[in-house]
Amino acid sequence: MMKEVLQVFPDAKFIVTHRDPVAFSKSAISLLAYAGGTENENLNLSKLAEFWLGQIANLLTRMKTHLEDIPSNQVIHVKFDDFVRDNINIVRSILVKNHLELDDATLDAVNDYLDANPRDGAMKFQYSLEAFNLTADNVREQFQFYSDLNLFS
């Protein structure tokens, strides 16, 4: 698929975010269980986790394959934790790498949005691998192939 994109847009840049698979899995599966649990009292958390871990593994495998089709100078890897911690400077660094600028009007608009939508005001969820009969070691082992890419640490 990336080969086709590059045929049409040979100078395309790809920004790929990466997050520790243990943290991502814990967050994603907990949120999916919460959403699924609102309609189903008999939700099997272990089966839900097994299904979604398989889906996440599939997505990460496909991402790895797609990255092999893209010249490395056209990929910008962004660590999720860095983006959450310092999103403006991460965006600025992406723009600089692409010879673009973050103009004052755009920066003001982004800051206005961030001020109006603070992260600390968001609903907090309790994330727990144990609720799904998982441990960090289980998840880490399943996603070792992704961890070996060293894109998020």
Side-chain angles (χ1 to χ4, degrees):
M1 179 175 162
M2 292 299 113
K3 290 177 185 177
E4 292 81 6
V5 171
L6 288 167
Q7 285 175 350
V8 177
F9 303 102
D11 297 328
K13 303 290 186 195
F14 298 84
I15 301 167
V16 184
T17 57
H18 300 280
R19 187 174 184 192
D20 170 52
V22 173
F24 174 76
S25 297
K26 182 169 44 170
S27 174
I29 294 169
S30 295
L31 289 172
L32 289 162
Y34 175 79
T38 60
E39 295 183 18
N40 184 351
E41 294 178 10
N42 299 318
L43 188 64
N44 183 321
L45 296 179
S46 295
K47 293 245 183 245
L48 178 91
E50 180 182 341
F51 173 80
W52 282 108
L53 286 176
Q55 294 299 306
I56 294 166
N58 182 38
L59 291 170
L60 292 174
T61 299
R62 290 174 59 198
M63 184 256 336
K64 180 182 174 202
T65 300
H66 288 312
L67 285 175
E68 292 168 359
D69 292 335
I70 305 170
S72 61
N73 65 337
Q74 289 180 245
V75 179
I76 299 169
H77 297 280
V78 176
K79 297 175 187 173
F80 174 83
D81 291 337
D82 291 347
F83 181 77
V84 169
R85 185 175 24 265
D86 192 11
N87 48 27
I88 296 293
N89 282 321
I90 294 296
V91 169
R92 191 184 316 270
S93 72
I94 291 168
L95 292 172
V96 166
K97 288 177 185 175
N98 288 285
H99 312 289
L100 300 169
E101 291 183 27
L102 181 60
D103 63 66
D104 290 339
T106 303
L107 182 58
D108 289 344
V110 169
N111 282 323
D112 288 346
Y113 174 83
L114 293 173
D115 289 344
N117 299 282
R119 271 186 66 85
D120 55 356
M123 182 184 294
K124 303 284 186 204
F125 288 94
Q126 296 298 318
Y127 304 125
S128 166
L129 288 174
E130 292 76 20
F132 303 97
N133 295 317
L134 295 170
T135 67
D137 288 340
N138 298 137
V139 176
R140 196 171 290 111
E141 182 178 319
Q142 183 163 354
F143 296 111
Q144 190 61 50
F145 72 94
Y146 176 67
S147 299
D148 289 345
L149 298 175
N150 292 315
L151 298 172
F152 62 87
S153 56

